[in-house]
Amino acid sequence: MANSNTIKQKELFGHPLGLYVLFFTEMWERFSYYGMRAILVLYLVHVTTGDNPGLGWSNGDALALYGWYTMLVYVASIPGGWIADKLLGQKKSVLYGGIILVAGHSILAVEQMWAFYTGLGLIIAGVGMLKPNISTMVGGLYKQGDIRRDKGFTIFYIGINIGAFLSSLIVGYVGEVHGWHYGFGLAGIGMTLGLIQYVLGQKYLKHVGNFLGKSENKEEKEAMNRPLTKVEKDRVIVLFISFLLVIVFWGAFEQAGGLMNIYAMENTNRMLFGWEVPASWFQSLNAMFIIFLGTSVALYWAKRKLKGKVATSLFKMIIGLIIMGTGFFFMSAASAQFESTGASAMYWLVLAYLFHTVGELCISPVALSYITKLAPVKYASIMMGVYFAMTGFGNKLAGLLGESAEGLGEFTVFTGIAVFCVIFGILVLLFRKKLESLTHGAEDNEREMLEQEAYELADPAINN
């Protein structure tokens, strides 16, 4: 919940300065997380001999660990959200989470198995503290009904993917060429930079992310102490139903770090002008597409809403799932080409990541914004934590699906994912209006604000 002080914060490019502090914090956190993710499975399956030895695990065992790890990273967001709502507030939880993450990534640089598992454990705890709370803070920068909220989350999401893009290239290259543990250590340096700028930017976050248990605001105190109303309960129901979309989406999407990552390394012809493209670099495609397409997708939905066409959050999320699922048909084509020729072309991966990216832009930043619109203030961080936990369950599902490829084959798995996502999205679309009625008009006033914004832009004299 944003109070009157929140709205008076200094702005840059039409958004509170605090957004950019959170932008760069999350950018460096994602640099560290996605950098480590880009090389984790490759490190696990790489042979134990040579200049840059890995652990020599089988693909199935590596994907199993990947699934458990990525699930726990996000499931930890539930206790992380609870700690913020009940004990620390979001701002301090992000700080402590960042410190734990620096420790975790630093320990991973040590070439010992105890350090490997300890580092993963600390990263799980750190992301759990940071991830749900920094996203909730972004929503707290905007008052209820502020049309800039969705745009703010898109800007924030671009920051996430700048970090992911750079890390896949830099950490991926360092890990594959110079040493896996150098890559892990480099990820820790990135998180340290993010933590430093977060501490230095606290003056722009004075009125957001504070522990509401000590709030002097009467409205916030009442919201924390009274039971949930019928409207709030209905909105929570809608959120939980929308989380089913989240599980299915990430169960498919997170093949990127697992099965698609291994597929790029083992089955794809990566030769480009006589040079072999590192397999981990394909992880950067998603982030690159988001950086270039993020504002365009957000603008498309804004124009659609202004024209009076369906552009609700739930509708966007459903369409995002269908588009992302369609992208797996390109991986089916890649698998078919590999089976017939012994290698598949890189452009299949590029096309798949393009569709995955457009789908992600329709569902992920929109879902973050949707939660801040519908979640009761007393459970704001916990509900964000539940969302990321659902993301975690999706990641575990991704690992299970990836493991199944050893028996079923990549073509069957990729095609099955594509068909299921499209059909599931269409089924939810049939019940969309009924579900949206349970939001009790949480998004009704956004179109009016958008129309006013467009009117003012068209006639600058209004502001004179």
Side-chain angles (χ1 to χ4, degrees), residues 266-385:
E266 296 181 347
N267 298 350
T268 303
N269 180 1
R270 294 179 279 116
M271 296 305 297
L272 183 66
F273 304 118
W275 176 70
E276 187 174 47
V277 178
S280 60
W281 278 25
F282 287 93
Q283 299 291 294
S284 69
L285 288 173
N286 170 246
M288 180 185 71
F289 286 139
I290 283 179
I291 294 167
F292 288 126
L293 299 177
T295 54
S296 297
V297 172
L299 183 60
Y300 166 79
W301 287 116
K303 288 183 176 179
R304 183 179 173 88
K305 184 185 288 286
L306 189 59
K307 293 177 180 178
K309 297 180 180 180
V310 179
T312 59
S313 296
L314 191 58
F315 180 76
K316 296 176 190 177
M317 293 168 69
I318 294 168
I319 297 301
L321 176 62
I322 294 173
I323 293 173
M324 186 278 302
T326 302
F328 274 97
F329 285 119
F330 294 113
M331 293 307 301
S332 299
S335 300
Q337 186 181 55
F338 173 77
E339 290 176 3
S340 62
T341 66
S344 62
M346 289 188 287
Y347 57 75
W348 294 120
L349 281 166
V350 175
L351 288 170
Y353 280 121
L354 174 61
F355 273 65
H356 290 184
T357 299
V358 175
E360 183 184 2
L361 285 168
C362 292
I363 194 170
S364 194
V366 172
L368 296 176
S369 179
Y370 197 45
I371 293 166
T372 64
K373 295 172 187 175
L374 298 187
V377 63
K378 65 190 295 184
Y379 298 127
S381 292
I382 293 177
M383 288 304 297
M384 190 67 77

Side-chain angles (χ1 to χ4, degrees), residues 26-335:
E26 183 71 343
M27 183 191 80
W28 284 113
E29 187 274 329
R30 291 290 91 180
F31 175 92
S32 65
Y33 175 77
Y34 279 103
M36 192 276 289
R37 193 194 76 157
I39 60 175
L40 176 61
V41 170
L42 301 181
Y43 166 65
L44 292 174
V45 302
H46 202 270
V47 295
T48 57
T49 57
D51 295 333
N52 189 19
L55 296 184
W57 290 18
S58 69
N59 288 357
D61 288 342
L63 291 172
L65 177 71
Y66 175 81
W68 279 109
Y69 166 69
T70 52
M71 182 189 79
L72 292 173
V73 158
Y74 291 111
V75 170
S77 294
I78 292 181
W82 184 89
I83 289 171
D85 282 340
K86 302 298 182 181
L87 300 174
L88 297 176
Q90 297 142 16
K91 190 155 48 183
K92 286 185 178 179
S93 295
V94 170
L95 174 64
Y96 296 153
I99 293 172
I100 295 171
L101 279 169
V102 170
H105 284 292
S106 300
I107 289 175
L108 275 181
V110 178
E111 298 186 36
Q112 297 289 334
M113 287 307 296
W114 69 264
F116 177 71
Y117 288 113
T118 301
L120 291 184
L122 288 173
I123 292 171
I124 288 168
V127 173
M129 288 287 285
L130 186 148
K131 191 68 177 167
N133 296 307
I134 195 168
S135 298
T136 306
M137 287 175 69
V138 173
L141 293 170
Y142 304 93
K143 66 181 180 180
Q144 197 66 29
D146 192 335
I147 190 61
R148 298 179 302 165
R149 186 190 298 249
D150 281 5
K151 296 177 184 177
F153 270 102
T154 298
I155 293 171
F156 178 69
Y157 208 70
I158 289 173
I160 291 174
N161 285 279
I162 290 175
F165 172 73
L166 294 174
S167 67
S168 298
L169 296 177
I170 300 172
V171 177
Y173 174 79
V174 170
E176 286 194 70
V177 177
H178 296 287
W180 304 111
H181 294 279
Y182 287 118
F184 293 141
L186 184 58
I189 293 173
M191 187 61 242
T192 302
L193 294 174
L195 184 62
I196 291 171
Q197 78 86 37
Y198 178 73
V199 172
L200 295 177
Q202 288 298 296
K203 62 182 178 180
Y204 301 115
L205 300 170
K206 291 181 179 179
H207 306 298
V208 66
N210 298 310
F211 179 43
L212 294 183
K214 296 181 179 180
S215 175
E216 298 299 323
N217 183 284
K218 182 179 178 181
E219 184 180 357
E220 290 177 345
K221 279 187 174 181
E222 290 178 354
M224 288 295 291
N225 296 323
R226 63 169 171 75
L228 296 183
T229 65
K230 173 65 165 58
V231 170
E232 288 174 325
K233 289 178 181 177
D234 284 348
R235 289 174 174 174
V236 169
I237 290 172
V238 175
L239 283 178
F240 275 111
I241 294 174
S242 71
F243 289 162
L244 294 176
L245 292 169
V246 171
I247 294 174
V248 174
F249 178 88
W250 290 109
F253 183 90
E254 278 299 323
Q255 298 304 318
L259 183 58
M260 290 176 67
N261 205 6
I262 292 175
Y263 187 90
M265 179 175 66
E266 296 181 347
N267 298 350
T268 303
N269 180 1
R270 294 179 279 116
M271 296 305 297
L272 183 66
F273 304 118
W275 176 70
E276 187 174 47
V277 178
S280 60
W281 278 25
F282 287 93
Q283 299 291 294
S284 69
L285 288 173
N286 170 246
M288 180 185 71
F289 286 139
I290 283 179
I291 294 167
F292 288 126
L293 299 177
T295 54
S296 297
V297 172
L299 183 60
Y300 166 79
W301 287 116
K303 288 183 176 179
R304 183 179 173 88
K305 184 185 288 286
L306 189 59
K307 293 177 180 178
K309 297 180 180 180
V310 179
T312 59
S313 296
L314 191 58
F315 180 76
K316 296 176 190 177
M317 293 168 69
I318 294 168
I319 297 301
L321 176 62
I322 294 173
I323 293 173
M324 186 278 302
T326 302
F328 274 97
F329 285 119
F330 294 113
M331 293 307 301
S332 299
S335 300

Side-chain angles (χ1 to χ4, degrees), residues 394-428:
N395 277 263
K396 178 56 181 173
L397 175 61
L400 294 173
L401 289 171
E403 291 177 61
S404 70
E406 286 193 320
L408 298 175
E410 286 92 348
F411 179 84
T412 301
V413 172
F414 289 141
T415 305
I417 291 173
V419 171
F420 182 83
C421 288
V422 172
I423 292 176
F424 186 78
I426 292 173
L427 289 175
V428 178

